[in-house]
Amino acid sequence: MIDEKEIRKIVESVVSSVTSNGSPQAAAFSVGTAPSVIPKATPIISPTAGIGGQDGVFDRMEDAINASKKAFEEFKIFSVRDRERLISIVRRVTRDHAEEFSKMTYEETGMGNIKDKIIKHKNCAKNSPGTEDLVSRAWSGEKGVVLEEFAPFGIIGSITPSTHPVPTMMNNIVIMLASGNTVIFNPHPGAKKVTAYALQVYHKAVVAGGFPENLFSCVKNPTIDSANIMFKHPDVTLLSITGGPGVVKAAMSTNKKVIAAGPGNPPVLVDETANLDHAADCIIRGGSFDNNLLCISEKEVFVVESVFDKFMLAMEKAGAYRIDELNLNLLAKKAFIPDEKGGHVLNREIVGKGASHLGDLVKINVPEGTRMLFGETNKDNLFVMEEQMTSFMPVVRVKNFKEGLEASLVAERGYGHTAIIHSKDMDRITEFASVMKTTIVVANGMSTQGDGPDDGEAYLAFTIATPTGEGITSPRDFCKIRRLAVAGSLRFV
Ligand code: NAD
């Protein structure tokens, strides 16, 4: 019989032989004596982050992939319970640094607002789903027992957007590592500094907690080229893409499994049975959150004619600022720039900007504290058809529910993302959900109630896989399902 002391000795020697540096700290974790207080991280991105990377940040994508491969092997000995402990470290770091990460993100990207970003980080820390999502299945009968388990996929390559760089990275780390994968990030170049900084803070805390290095990593200078290396590398077995149409298309043309979270243009339909004050309040709160940067946020509103004027008054009463046709056209000229093909491109300068900023652009005085501008447009207006992600809400008059539903379907552009309805008629809500076929439908609430329990129910993800169909992603989406069938045995009753 081996006693407990000997078992500890064996485990310690195994762990120190497989962890990257064999540090006593790492070995200590394996026997359940990890430090309870995580040392305060002081990350510095060296200008010459070398081949080995520095706290998870690499100069070259190839080196990040090699390090991730090693980390994946090292991670195999850690139990599901260990992974849950890792996740709790990541949650705590997010809570502790929510303000810092939010300020840094705002400074680097110039989009959104710090107050809402802090809420976003905290919500992510609390509500990202962990290992509880991985419930095995079993069948038992006279022919034996079958067990299905969630196994890791391997090394995941993740693209993150500029709109929520750290929450997406944090949420991905939790969801992907819950099932034993490792992940490499190619972040948006416009948010590379805050992403690398935050990754180093997480990395230090996780390594100090006794886990291997490089379970998650990123490149210091992400480019389309570094993304392409990740897309093509044989050791990267799964791609997770959170971004606009360009990157989703690029990733889906690789021959890898892709979980793609693409763009959205969520319409809101308000019918004559709706509580108009509530609808206006929801549209302003959901649509102005972080200055409309969320892909699920309300982007255009269709209102049934018989209640249109009342609804516009309700929007004003709830604090939105109405602009007239002249100013709306001026704003459109600032927002959409003609391109050489006779079309137009979205001016990134207006993305994630607040109502007063938009007011300044067209030289109107917007009352202080206003969260949203709004105005009447026709249903073909660019503000309706483009995912503009800013603090202006186009409102379109429609004859009736049927016309509103048709217009919502066109404005959603087949992204299959999110749609919102305000109505007291259950049959219409059902028809709306059935016809829109979006991943998320919210009825009588704000968009944020569709993804995250601080406002609604269920769990939260920042990677909402629309074109590939996984929906609001959770750990099981990043797993291989493996089955063990034991014939004629193990049934013991
Ligand atoms: P973006 O498409 O500009 O960039 C996303 C990432 O893709 C960046 O890292 C960028 O460098 C990279 N990229 C772009 N084209 C590429 C290509 N051809 N090959 C390789 N990499 C490429 O997106 P963004 O502006 O940062 O984010 C906003 C967009 O993301 C919106 O469309 C929004 O709806 C969408 N989004 C979707 C979800 C979701 O869960 N479905 C979540 C957040 C954001």
Side-chain angles (χ1 to χ4, degrees):
M1 261 307 251
I2 323 179
D3 65 13
E4 198 193 324
K5 228 165 126 195
E6 279 173 279
I7 295 173
R8 276 174 177 257
K9 255 170 100 183
I10 294 166
V11 175
E12 282 181 4
S13 78
V14 170
V15 172
S16 54
S17 69
V18 293
T19 45
S20 56
N21 54 11
S23 72
Q25 198 176 42
F29 166 66
S30 68
V31 290
T33 54
S36 55
V37 180
I38 307 300
K40 190 132 181 80
T42 48
I44 301 158
I45 305 168
S46 134
T48 52
I51 224 161
Q54 187 174 346
D55 299 318
V57 178
F58 289 79
D59 277 347
R60 291 176 2 112
M61 178 55 84
E62 293 88 337
D63 296 331
I65 294 171
N66 285 336
S68 195
K69 203 171 161 188
K70 182 166 174 277
F72 178 68
E73 291 306 315
E74 291 166 355
F75 200 29
K76 281 182 182 162
I77 61 157
F78 289 84
S79 66
V80 173
R81 198 177 282 190
D82 294 336
R83 290 182 215 151
E84 197 49 46
R85 204 179 68 83
L86 182 155
I87 289 169
S88 67
I89 294 172
V90 174
R91 291 191 201 282
R92 185 170 55 209
V93 169
T94 311
R95 275 195 310 271
D96 291 351
H97 291 263
E99 210 171 305
E100 184 191 21
F101 293 164
S102 300
K103 282 184 182 153
M104 285 182 73
T105 304
Y106 180 73
E107 273 158 27
E108 188 174 2
T109 65
M111 298 190 291
N113 65 72
I114 293 168
K115 192 171 134 269
D116 290 342
K117 285 191 194 303
I118 294 172
I119 296 171
K120 199 153 74 169
H121 282 79
K122 289 191 174 162
N123 196 7
C124 214
K126 193 164 139 206
N127 300 314
S128 298
T131 58
E132 72 284 356
D133 190 51
L134 303 173
V135 183
S136 310
R137 295 202 294 179
W139 292 259
S140 169
E142 66 273 17
K143 291 184 197 119
V145 164
V146 169
L147 178 64
E148 272 187 2
E149 297 273 21
F150 292 101
F153 231 94
I155 301 169
I156 301 174
S158 174
I159 296 261
T160 49
S162 56
T163 44
H164 344 283
V166 180
T168 309
M169 176 172 76
M170 182 273 173
N171 183 254
N172 276 191
I173 290 173
V174 168
I175 289 177
M176 293 167 185
L177 268 61
S179 45
N181 299 291
T182 56
V183 54
I184 302 155
F185 293 97
N186 193 74
H188 195 288
K192 66 181 179 185
K193 286 192 210 139
V194 68
T195 305
Y197 175 83
L199 189 133
Q200 288 188 313
V201 177
Y202 288 122
H203 193 276
K204 282 188 181 242
V206 162
V207 171
F211 291 94
E213 289 182 58
N214 304 316
L215 291 175
F216 44 87
S217 54
C218 72
V219 282
K220 197 170 71 169
N221 286 310
T223 58
I224 299 272
D225 286 344
S226 59
N228 278 327
I229 293 170
M230 188 171 91
F231 287 175
K232 290 186 189 138
H233 201 289
D235 289 332
V236 177
T237 45
L238 172 61
L239 298 175
S240 169
I241 309 296
T242 312
V247 66
V248 167
K249 195 167 160 220
M252 287 179 80
S253 63
T254 65
N255 58 6
K256 285 194 172 33
K257 178 177 166 76
V258 181
I259 294 182
N265 192 35
V268 187
L269 176 51
V270 181
D271 80 3
E272 68 278 18
T273 70
N275 177 336
L276 299 180
D277 288 332
H278 177 69
D281 184 52
C282 286
I283 290 163
I284 295 169
R285 284 165 64 200
S288 68
F289 185 78
D290 209 13
N291 298 348
N292 202 273
L293 282 185
L294 293 178
C295 53
I296 57 171
S297 281
E298 293 80 354
K299 298 280 189 290
E300 63 278 337
V301 185
F302 300 99
V303 185
V304 168
E305 205 165 44
S306 61
V307 292
F308 186 87
D309 294 337
K310 270 195 196 151
F311 173 79
M312 297 302 258
L313 288 174
M315 286 288 281
E316 280 178 319
K317 210 167 86 192
Y321 186 80
R322 185 171 183 170
I323 60 173
D324 61 20
E325 199 183 342
L326 184 77
N327 283 317
L328 204 152
N329 290 337
L330 282 176
L331 190 61
K333 283 207 175 90
K334 303 276 179 191
F336 305 102
I337 305 166
D339 65 12
E340 64 278 6
K341 291 184 209 137
H344 60 270
V345 286
L346 176 66
N347 177 6
R348 298 287 301 189
E349 291 297 306
I350 66 139
V351 173
K353 292 297 189 288
S356 63
H357 182 100
L358 299 186
D360 290 348
L361 285 180
V362 292
K363 300 191 175 32
I364 50 171
N365 275 331
V366 173
E368 219 184 298
T370 302
R371 296 205 66 163
M372 181 183 279
L373 306 184
F374 74 108
E376 182 175 358
T377 72
N378 62 39
K379 59 180 190 301
D380 306 318
N381 192 288
L382 288 176
F383 277 121
V384 173
M385 292 308 293
E386 294 298 327
E387 186 198 22
Q388 71 274 5
M389 296 184 285
T390 196
S391 302
F392 171 73
M393 187 65 67
V395 187
V396 180
R397 196 186 290 261
V398 290
K399 253 195 247 127
N400 49 30
F401 168 78
K402 188 172 172 288
E403 191 182 291
L405 177 55
E406 281 162 11
S408 297
L409 197 58
V410 173
E412 212 278 323
R413 300 183 56 173
Y415 290 139
H417 202 296
T418 299
I420 298 132
I421 179 166
H422 289 272
S423 171
K424 289 199 187 113
D425 185 326
M426 282 302 148
D427 289 343
R428 285 184 179 174
I429 292 174
T430 311
E431 188 181 349
F432 183 79
S434 165
V435 171
M436 292 305 296
K437 293 192 176 49
T438 46
T439 304
I440 302 172
V441 172
V442 176
N444 298 323
M446 37 184 189
S447 53
T448 50
Q449 290 178 283
D451 182 23
D454 268 11
D455 287 330
E457 297 290 339
Y459 61 89
L460 168 133
F462 271 80
T463 298
I464 303 168
T466 38
T468 51
E470 290 78 7
I472 301 176
T473 51
S474 69
R476 66 179 70 197
D477 296 315
F478 297 91
C479 290
K480 288 179 180 168
I481 295 172
R482 296 181 54 204
R483 179 181 278 203
L484 170 68
V486 180
S489 271
L490 280 185
R491 182 165 169 100
F492 59 93
V493 289

